[in-house]
Each structure stands twice: as structure tokens, then as C-alpha cells.
Amino acid sequence: MEVVWARAPVTAREVCDRMTGAEERAYTTIMTTMDRLHRKGLLVREKDGLAWRYAPALGKVEFEKALADGLAAEILQAHGEVALSAFVDAAAEVDEGLLDQLARLIAQRRKGRA
């Protein structure tokens, strides 16, 4: 997704050529992954000759928010109050200022419902 966000629209070959890291990735693996991301609605595509040219369906910030929303909902449904408590503890360990931000977000949400 990083390559697609940075260089869209791109083909699977272009993504494969841009991939870096300790392990070499096969073109067919990249092509299959991009097709799956398209079927999940994360990439849009259009035909360009024999290849598909892909672009992101969501911006990076929108994607990260949707991912975080989904993970948070799953964790809270599975573990309820324990998960909520753990989240608050983790926020405090990372940065005490996050607790203030959390309080502001809660107040905004409650104000929006009123």
C-alpha cells in the first residue's frame, strides 16, 4: 500500500520493482496480493494494455482510521471493560497527554449526541 499511495496509479510490476527489504518478493505474489486488495475494496483498478493499473480506494489516513476502528471494535467486543482499561493504561504509558486527548474526544462525542 505504501508504494501505491506514493506512486499511484501503478501496475503490479511497478510495485514489485519498488519493493525493498531482506527478502525478494515474486511478481506473482505481488500481483495476487494486489488483486485481493482490489476485491476487498482497498484498491481500484483500470485496464492498461494487458496489465491492471491500481490506485488506492482510501487515502493513507482514512485507511489507518478504518483499520484502527475495526481493530478497536473487535477487541472491545471480545474483552469489553478489560480492553478499555488496558487501552487507557497503554495510552498513559505512551504519553500522559493522550489521556487529555482521550477526555476531549469523549466530551466531543457526548456533545455530538446531545
Side-chain angles (χ1 to χ4, degrees):
M1 289 298 298
E2 292 292 338
V3 174
V4 178
W5 282 314
R7 304 201 177 271
V10 293
T11 64
R13 171 58 61 202
E14 292 167 343
V15 171
C16 190
D17 291 346
R18 295 269 179 206
M19 297 289 290
T20 59
E23 296 180 25
E24 189 173 327
R25 289 154 183 96
Y27 166 72
T28 54
T29 301
I30 302 298
M31 187 174 59
T32 300
T33 300
M34 292 182 78
D35 182 60
R36 287 180 180 162
L37 290 170
H38 167 71
R39 283 188 272 139
K40 289 181 178 190
L42 298 173
L43 294 176
V44 294
R45 70 183 182 188
E46 61 182 43
K47 201 71 164 157
D48 184 10
L50 297 175
W52 289 105
R53 198 159 278 285
Y54 293 89
L58 300 171
K60 186 174 182 178
V61 172
E62 296 166 311
F63 172 80
E64 289 174 344
K65 171 105 172 62
L67 181 63
D69 286 348
L71 289 172
E74 283 183 42
I75 292 168
L76 288 169
Q77 286 175 353
H79 305 286
E81 192 172 321
V82 171
L84 198 54
S85 177
F87 183 79
V88 170
D89 291 344
E93 285 180 30
V94 170
D95 180 354
E96 282 284 330
L98 290 173
L99 293 178
D100 295 331
Q101 179 64 19
L102 182 58
R104 281 191 295 276
L105 291 170
I106 291 169
Q108 286 175 351
R109 174 60 81 131
R110 286 187 170 152
K111 189 176 182 179
R113 272 196 245 155

